[in-house]
């Protein structure tokens, strides 16, 4: 049994301490009282700018910006990252997965702390072409997650490409930077054109995105070294994932943001556990990469055709297993639980029960002030384990199947 290192104890202890202190001091409510009214005024004052941009309404622009929003959405990255792992670029894939989880958590925390509205519709014309966009519209506005994620992920991708190819030409670097800036600008403009965000939301996404990217470029090497060769990696990350659920702020009103974070929190947990177990078998730097003689494009297509159904099956089985085991475990531990969607038998029978409070709020009180809470929402644990199982299969089970099939 490996001993727990001092920095791990301090880090996890610091998060746990923050959970307690932030609850006792009502940090979320105090931050909201300082920021919400100012941001809301900026959203209202920015409405004329949105209406001016929307005067250029055209079906082509509707399709263009809706498509671009889908390309940089969380569901897209969730589907794209497995392909990146299976293409042989494991380091880039795991870094972008963890960065995506970091962005998603920080961005959604800020959204729910500030709890600032999106532009009012009407008068703003809001275009929600997909189910994902309709759910996004239920979240708070500041910062724009699409802008924040695009800044971080496109910026890190540029850094990786320049480092991987060891390009030293200044003009090439400037061209790459210009492409990233143009892409980020189009995403930000598109979010305003679609009526999803005000200018202040886009500016917030840019500022927070650049800050997160700067932090990540400083720490990403240390994080990667820890994931592939550290001690207590699985246990540390499992405890971290658990604490992050409780450290999440309570929004003014319920939104899907906590669900999104829980899902990607599970993805990060599954990726870390799988990589830590199989790095030397499937994810080291000398694995075959796509478009080489060792991994041809037809072989990669074969990997996709085998891998996608497999991870979807694992996702289904993980969800079913979690739905069966978690209520039993809660019953054994005498923990009162309810379900807001996954298990009808555990749904709240009383119409006045506050499902939003048990779904994504009050976690601190539930742990440390148990007598003051009603029930835990078991859906959170189910969602976490479901996506952890899916992500684990991407980097552990599926590569093992590839090796058996000589793909």
């Amino acid at each position: 049994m490996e001993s727990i290192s001092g920095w791990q104890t301090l880090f996890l202890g610091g998060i746990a301490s923050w959970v307690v202190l932030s609850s006792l001091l009502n940090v979320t409510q105090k931050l909201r009282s300082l920021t919400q009214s100012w941001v809301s005024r900026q959203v209202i004052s920015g409405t004329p700018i949105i209406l001016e941009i929307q005067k250029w309404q055209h079906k082509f622009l509707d399709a263009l910006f809706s498509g671009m929003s889908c390309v940089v959405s969380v569901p897209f990255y969730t589907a794209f990252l497995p392909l990146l792992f299976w293409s042989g670029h494991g380091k880039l894939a795991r870094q972008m997965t963890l960065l995506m989880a970091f962005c998603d958590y920080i961005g959604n925390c800020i959204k729910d702390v500030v709890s600032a509205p999106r532009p009012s519709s009407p008068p703003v014309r809001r275009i929600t072409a997909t189910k994902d966009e309709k759910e996004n519209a239920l979240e708070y506005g500041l910062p724009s997650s699409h802008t924040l994620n695009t800044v971080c992920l496109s910026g890190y991708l540029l850094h990786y490409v320049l480092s991987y190819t060891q390009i030293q030409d200044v003009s090439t670097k400037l061209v790459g930077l210009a492409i990233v800036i143009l892409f980020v600008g189009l995403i930000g403009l598109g979010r305003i054109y679609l009526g999803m965000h005000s200018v202040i939301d886009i500016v917030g996404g840019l500022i927070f995105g650049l800050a997160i990217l700067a932090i990540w470029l400083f720490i990403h090497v240390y994080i990667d070294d820890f994931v592939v060769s550290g001690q207590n990696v699985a246990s540390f990350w499992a405890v971290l994932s658990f604490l992050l659920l409780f450290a999440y702020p309570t929004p003014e009103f319920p939104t899907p943001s906590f669900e999104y974070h829980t899902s990607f929190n599970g993805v990060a947990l599954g990726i870390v556990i799988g990589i830590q177990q199989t790095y030397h078998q499937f994810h080291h730097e000398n694995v075959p990469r796509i478009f080489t003689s060792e991994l041809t494009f037809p072989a990669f297509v074969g990997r996709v055709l085998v891998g996608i159904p497999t991870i979807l099956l694992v996702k289904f089985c993980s969800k079913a297993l979690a739905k069966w085991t978690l209520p039993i475990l809660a019953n054994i531990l005498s923990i009162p639980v309810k379900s807001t969607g996954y298990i009808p038998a555990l749904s709240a029978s009383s119409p006045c029960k506050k499902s939003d409070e048990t779904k994504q709020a009050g976690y601190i009180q539930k742990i440390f002030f148990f007598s003051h809470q009603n029930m835990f929402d078991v859906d959170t644990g189910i969602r976490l384990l479901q996506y952890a199982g899916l992500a684990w299969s991407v980097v552990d089970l599926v590569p093992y199947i590839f090796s058996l099939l000589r793909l």
Side-chain angles (χ1 to χ4, degrees):
M1 181 69 178
E2 296 175 335
S3 61
I4 300 177
S5 64
W7 75 265
Q8 294 177 4
T9 303
L10 289 174
F11 188 81
L12 296 177
I15 295 178
S17 299
W18 165 253
V19 169
V20 178
L21 291 175
S22 63
S23 176
L24 293 175
L25 300 176
N26 293 321
V27 172
T28 297
Q29 289 78 5
K30 291 178 180 177
L31 289 175
R32 184 176 300 141
S33 66
L34 293 173
T35 58
Q36 186 186 58
S37 60
W38 182 83
V39 175
S40 298
R41 288 196 301 269
Q42 299 303 311
V43 172
I44 295 172
S45 64
T47 299
I49 299 177
I50 303 175
L51 296 176
E52 194 66 29
I53 293 175
Q54 289 189 337
K55 286 182 179 180
W56 297 88
Q57 176 183 347
H58 192 279
K59 291 183 179 180
F60 171 76
L61 294 178
D62 291 356
L64 173 65
F65 289 129
S66 294
M68 293 185 69
S69 293
C70 292
V71 168
V72 297
S73 64
V74 171
F76 172 81
Y77 287 120
T78 305
F80 171 73
L81 290 171
L83 307 185
L84 201 56
F85 276 108
W86 302 336
S87 70
H89 292 277
K91 182 176 181 179
L92 175 62
R94 61 180 176 266
Q95 283 290 307
M96 292 193 70
T97 301
L98 297 180
L99 177 56
M100 184 68 204
F102 189 30
C103 292
D104 188 65
Y105 187 79
I106 298 299
N108 285 337
C109 279
I110 297 171
K111 280 179 184 286
D112 284 351
V113 166
V114 179
S115 295
R118 290 180 183 267
S120 180
S121 175
V124 170
R125 183 179 67 109
R126 182 166 296 156
I127 303 174
T128 52
T130 64
K131 179 182 178 181
D132 178 57
E133 279 287 81
K134 292 177 181 178
E135 291 181 350
N136 287 337
L138 300 176
E139 295 183 290
Y140 291 110
L142 179 80
S144 165
S145 296
H146 283 72
T147 305
L148 188 154
N149 294 340
T150 303
V151 169
C152 289
L153 295 175
S154 60
Y156 183 80
L157 179 61
L158 175 63
H159 168 78
Y160 178 86
V161 170
L162 294 177
S163 301
Y164 180 76
T165 58
Q166 296 184 340
I167 294 176
Q168 300 297 327
D169 183 55
V170 176
S171 61
T172 303
K173 293 181 179 180
L174 291 176
V175 170
L177 180 61
I179 293 174
V180 169
I181 293 174
L182 176 62
F183 186 53
V184 171
L186 287 174
I187 292 297
L189 177 62
R191 301 308 288 168
I192 297 176
Y193 175 87
L194 295 174
M196 295 294 288
H197 286 286
S198 184
V199 174
I200 188 64
D201 302 335
I202 304 302
V203 173
L206 287 171
I207 293 173
F208 288 115
L210 289 172
I212 293 172
L213 178 60
I215 294 171
W216 192 260
L217 291 177
F218 179 74
I219 66 174
H220 73 104
V221 174
Y222 304 103
I223 292 178
D224 198 57
D225 288 343
F226 172 69
V227 169
V228 303
S229 60
Q231 294 183 335
N232 311 301
V233 177
S235 57
F236 170 82
W237 214 278
V239 175
L240 174 63
S241 299
F242 179 78
L243 287 176
L244 289 178
L245 294 177
F246 291 88
Y248 193 88
T250 303
E252 188 173 30
F253 299 103
T255 73
S257 296
F258 180 75
E259 297 177 12
Y260 296 157
H261 149 65
T262 302
S263 300
F264 229 90
N265 191 4
V267 168
L269 175 61
I271 291 295
V272 168
I273 292 176
I275 290 293
Q276 198 272 333
Q277 292 176 334
T278 63
Y279 175 73
H280 295 290
Q281 289 84 5
F282 306 126
H283 304 289
H284 55 84
E285 290 303 300
N286 296 320
V287 298
R289 289 187 168 89
I290 192 172
F291 301 126
T292 64
S293 58
E294 296 174 300
L295 181 57
T296 62
F297 184 72
F300 175 72
V301 172
R303 287 187 171 193
V304 174
L305 294 177
V306 171
I308 294 298
T310 302
I311 65 175
L312 292 178
L313 178 62
V314 171
K315 179 184 177 183
F316 173 81
C317 293
S318 298
K319 181 177 180 180
L321 183 62
K323 287 170 64 176
W324 176 60
T325 57
L326 289 184
I328 294 176
L329 180 62
N331 185 54
I332 293 174
L333 298 175
S334 299
I335 300 175
V337 295
K338 55 166 284 187
S339 171
T340 53
Y342 286 153
I343 306 176
L346 295 178
S347 297
S349 58
S350 174
C352 62
K353 185 164 282 188
K354 298 180 181 179
S355 62
D356 55 297
E357 291 182 2
T358 56
K359 188 171 186 178
Q360 60 176 343
Y363 288 102
I364 301 165
Q365 291 85 350
K366 290 174 183 178
I367 292 182
F368 298 101
F369 308 103
F370 193 84
S371 61
H372 298 290
Q373 60 88 33
N374 293 317
M375 291 183 174
F376 290 95
D377 189 350
V378 74
D379 289 8
T380 298
I382 294 172
R383 187 175 294 108
L384 181 73
L385 294 179
Q386 172 188 4
Y387 281 90
L390 179 149
W392 166 83
S393 68
V394 168
V395 296
D396 193 331
L397 176 63
V398 171
Y400 177 72
I401 296 175
F402 291 162
S403 67
L404 293 179
L405 298 177
R406 300 186 182 277
L407 291 174

